[in-house]
């Protein structure tokens, strides 16, 4: 099960494909919408309503700082829409006084009454707008609770509640329990593969309920490298939730050796987690896509094209690509993102326009997971210009493997794992993180002699080692230890 959407979750789709291929009966549980259809796999969609998690935002408790703010989203919506309706009616009345004929005394009286109505509206509008502005400010504070008082209350909750602090700090986790719990109870699995810490708690609780009913359920926790949340509150909640359930899992897998050692030390696990990196399956022969990234950008074969895949976030380095384009002349760049309408893209596109390179920057949507390497293969370079933050250091990113299977030369920042792999294999160049000039140098070096870097993939062992066929072996071994040989659930 995954606590997110199913369609773009390459890890979830590869795990279920491996389990199904090994002969297990597989049910994939994730959030709606789920349009993916996999042979032999039952896909269950759940809808998380977010009632508990969004309660703080819908009723923000303005307090002393915003004493006039509306007390709920319902009141805010009602008053602001009512004000807009009153304005429309007054404008309609003004038009009626012009169009409909009246005797002069009646017209004068009507206009006086209308003027008084506008004055009343102005007073009411001013009062409503003040309260609405305070409500919006209070909601914004609730969405990003990072002030000193918020952090103080977070520390108090952690001190008083310990590992149970997640219930207070992130009640949205209980929304997921309400959505996923009944589905897992109905499926009655023998094993739950929980992707991420949010799914872990749901899986452990479902296993406890099943055991109380006399049905044994094994839980495998798939622990990715956790990206720091935007606020201290969210980080403390995630840490508390993870610590609450990590040691209850029957098996743990993760995506890198360094992360495996870190997890074992942090949670005092009985064994080091198995390492299962999220690599694409190996496909013999050239990968062919009916409409690759170059076709989608409408570029000729001789136009250099750089590709950057993944969600838009400040630490993923999209900005350095934009800043480098004026210095790379005829190079085009494609950002392949989950949502081309993502508001985070706005500043990047504006900056590209300011630099005069807007026409050389292309934004494309994701393609199905199984098609990614073939889709990317027509580009010239794959880039991973991530910042040097702790969660980027210990693992090879999924995108790195996808670029490799597309046989693309890579340009990566000097984060530990990816820089070491690139220097050892010789499939690309490493640049200093955040250094635009060095990024330009690295891209230029690859474009000067791309065949040199592509030749690194000709070694027979490279792509086979970085393939899902190889990476899934420890996972299936863990399943076999927990369940015995493949069986029908």
């Amino acid at each position: 099960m995954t606590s997110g959407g199913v369609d773009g979750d390459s890890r979830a789709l590869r795990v279920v494909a491996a389990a199904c291929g090994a002969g297990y009966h597989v049910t994939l549980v994730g959030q709606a919408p789920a349009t993916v259809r996999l042979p032999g796999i039952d896909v269950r969609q759940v809808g998380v309503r977010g009632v508990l998690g969004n309660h703080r935002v819908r009723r923000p408790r303005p307090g002393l700082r915003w004493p006039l703010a509306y007390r709920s989203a319902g009141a805010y919506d009602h008053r602001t829409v009512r004000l807009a309706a009153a304005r429309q009616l007054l404008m309609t009345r003004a038009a009626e006084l012009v169009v409909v004929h009246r005797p002069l005394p009646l017209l004068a009286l009507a206009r006086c009454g209308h003027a008084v109505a506008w004055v009343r509206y102005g007073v009411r509008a001013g009062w409503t707008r003040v309260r609405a502005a305070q409500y919006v400010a209070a909601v914004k504070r609730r969405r990003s609770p990072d002030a000193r008082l918020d952090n103080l209350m977070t520390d108090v909750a952690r001190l008083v509640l310990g590992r149970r602090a997640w219930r207070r700090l992130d009640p949205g986790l209980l929304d997921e329990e309400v959505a996923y719990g009944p589905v897992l109870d109905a499926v009655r699995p023998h094993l739950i593969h929980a992707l991420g810490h949010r799914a872990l708690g749901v899986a452990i609780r479902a296993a406890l309920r099943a055991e109380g009913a006399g049905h044994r359920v094994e839980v495998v926790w798939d622990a990715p490298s956790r990206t720091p949340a935007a606020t201290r509150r969210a980080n403390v909640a995630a840490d508390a939730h993870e610590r609450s359930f990590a040691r209850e899992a029957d098996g743990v897998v993760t995506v890198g050796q360094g992360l495996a050692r870190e997890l074992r030390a942090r949670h005092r696990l009985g064994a080091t987690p198995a390492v299962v990196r999220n690599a694409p399956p190996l496909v013999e022969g050239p990968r062919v896509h009916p409409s690759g990234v170059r076709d989608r950008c409408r570029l000729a074969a001789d136009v250099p094209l750089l590709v950057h895949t993944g969600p838009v976030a400040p630490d993923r380095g999209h900005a350095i690509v934009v800043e480098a384009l004026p210095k790379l002349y005829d190079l085009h760049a494609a950002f392949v993102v989950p949502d081309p309408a993502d508001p985070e893209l706005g500043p990047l596109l504006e900056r590209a326009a300011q630099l005069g390179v807007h026409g050389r920057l292309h934004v494309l949507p994701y393609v199905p997971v199984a098609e990614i390497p073939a889709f990317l293969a027509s580009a010239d370079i794959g880039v991973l210009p991530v910042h040097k933050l702790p969660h980027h250091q210990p693992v090879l990113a999924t995108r790195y493997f996808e670029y490799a299977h597309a046989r693309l030369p890579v340009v990566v920042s000097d984060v530990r794992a990816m820089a070491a792999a690139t220097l050892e294999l010789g499939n690309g160049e490493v640049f200093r993180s955040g250094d635009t000039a060095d990024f330009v140098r690295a891209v230029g070096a690859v474009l000067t002699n791309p065949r040199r870097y592509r030749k690194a993939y000709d070694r027979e062992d490279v792509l086979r080692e970085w393939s899902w066929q190889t990476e899934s072996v420890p996972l299936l071994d863990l399943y076999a230890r927990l369940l015995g040989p493949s069986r029908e659930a």
Side-chain angles (χ1 to χ4, degrees):
M1 63 165 288
T2 173
S3 59
V6 170
D7 288 352
D9 192 332
S10 61
R11 180 74 165 188
L13 296 176
R14 286 168 185 155
V15 165
V16 298
C20 186
Y24 295 100
H25 176 72
V26 180
T27 299
L28 175 57
V29 183
Q31 288 192 35
T35 60
V36 66
R37 294 293 179 266
L38 302 171
I41 296 172
D42 180 15
V43 179
R44 302 284 183 96
Q45 302 184 51
V46 298
V48 180
R49 295 178 58 198
V51 173
L52 302 177
N54 291 328
H55 182 72
R56 284 170 49 84
V57 175
R58 288 197 300 266
R59 301 185 64 85
R61 295 182 185 176
L64 295 177
R65 188 167 182 180
W66 298 286
L68 301 179
Y70 291 116
R71 285 338 191 229
S72 69
Y76 168 80
D77 290 340
H78 174 74
R79 297 300 176 85
T80 53
V81 172
R82 187 174 175 182
L83 181 67
R87 178 179 177 81
Q88 290 299 113
L89 291 176
L90 285 171
M91 292 173 64
T92 303
R93 176 63 170 166
E96 181 189 5
L97 291 175
V98 173
V99 173
V100 178
H101 174 73
R102 289 180 175 84
L104 187 59
L106 292 178
L107 180 61
L109 185 62
R111 288 191 179 279
C112 287
H114 187 59
V116 170
W118 270 112
V119 171
R120 290 176 58 198
Y121 168 81
V123 173
R124 182 177 165 193
W127 176 247
T128 300
R129 285 167 183 158
V130 167
R131 297 195 67 186
Q134 291 203 1
Y135 173 82
V136 170
V139 167
K140 184 178 180 180
R141 168 74 173 276
R142 285 289 202 172
R143 289 190 187 279
S144 301
D146 54 2
R148 290 181 181 178
L149 181 58
D150 296 307
N151 292 337
L152 175 62
M153 296 308 296
T154 295
D155 291 336
V156 169
R158 181 171 62 174
L159 180 64
V160 173
L161 300 175
R163 291 186 301 177
R164 294 169 63 88
W166 62 269
R167 300 190 184 194
R168 172 73 177 175
L169 300 176
D170 189 1
L173 289 161
L174 295 177
D175 284 317
E176 295 178 15
E177 171 65 31
V178 171
Y180 281 86
V183 177
L184 295 178
D185 294 344
V187 172
R188 288 180 57 82
H190 291 101
L191 182 147
I192 301 175
H193 185 117
L195 284 160
H197 85 89
R198 300 185 74 87
L200 173 63
V202 177
I204 294 295
R205 291 187 291 271
L208 287 172
R209 289 192 301 273
E211 189 167 354
H215 175 65
R216 173 71 180 174
V217 176
E218 308 288 343
V219 175
V220 171
W221 177 33
D222 197 332
S225 179
R226 204 172 77 203
T227 302
T231 64
R232 179 174 177 79
R233 180 189 183 98
N235 279 315
V236 170
D239 182 66
H241 187 256
E242 188 175 295
R243 287 189 295 113
S244 295
F245 300 105
R247 296 184 67 186
E248 303 298 320
D250 300 289
V252 183
V253 299
T254 190
V255 292
Q257 292 288 354
L259 187 56
R261 291 190 293 269
E262 179 188 327
L263 286 168
R264 182 174 186 180
R266 185 197 311 164
H267 299 299
R268 291 176 293 178
L269 301 176
T272 302
V275 174
V276 180
R277 297 177 296 186
N278 191 24
L282 180 64
V283 176
E284 301 296 340
R287 291 180 178 269
V288 179
H289 193 278
S291 178
V293 62
R294 183 175 295 277
D295 295 330
R296 296 281 179 88
C297 296
R298 300 180 180 178
L299 299 177
D302 60 343
V303 177
L305 174 61
L306 166 158
V307 66
H308 184 307
T309 66
V312 182
D315 66 324
R316 289 179 175 262
H318 292 80
I320 200 171
V321 176
V322 175
E323 295 295 332
L325 281 177
K327 304 174 181 66
L328 290 167
Y329 308 112
D330 57 345
L331 177 74
H332 285 241
F335 291 165
V336 183
V337 298
D339 179 12
D342 188 335
E344 294 283 349
L345 283 165
L348 296 170
L349 296 175
E350 290 175 9
R351 181 59 178 158
Q354 292 171 2
L355 295 172
V357 296
H358 187 271
R360 292 196 278 132
L361 180 61
H362 311 268
V363 178
L364 304 174
Y366 273 4
V367 296
V369 169
E371 300 175 11
I372 293 174
F375 178 74
L376 300 176
S378 58
D380 295 293
I381 303 175
V383 299
L384 291 115
V386 296
H387 294 183
K388 291 182 74 173
L389 298 175
H391 61 285
H392 290 311
Q393 294 279 10
V395 298
L396 289 175
T398 299
R399 292 171 293 158
Y400 192 93
F401 296 123
E402 290 168 346
Y403 293 158
H405 280 259
R407 290 171 171 76
L408 294 183
V410 298
V411 170
V412 303
S413 56
D414 54 348
V415 292
R416 187 168 62 249
M418 289 191 291
T422 302
L423 293 173
E424 179 183 354
L425 183 60
N427 62 326
E429 291 286 331
V430 178
F431 73 98
R432 291 185 297 274
S433 176
D435 188 332
T436 303
D438 201 35
F439 178 79
V440 171
R441 174 203 60 79
V443 171
V446 173
L447 290 176
T448 300
N449 189 6
R451 293 184 62 185
R452 168 193 166 193
Y453 300 96
R454 289 182 187 269
K455 284 179 64 177
Y457 300 123
D458 292 341
R459 287 169 42 187
E460 293 184 3
D461 59 327
V462 174
L463 294 183
R464 186 164 298 281
E465 180 184 349
W466 289 349
S467 71
W468 186 243
Q469 289 93 327
T470 299
E471 295 296 334
S472 62
V473 170
L475 177 65
L476 296 178
D477 287 345
L478 176 60
Y479 285 178
R481 287 199 303 272
L482 295 175
L483 296 176
S486 61
R487 57 195 279 187
E488 291 295 315

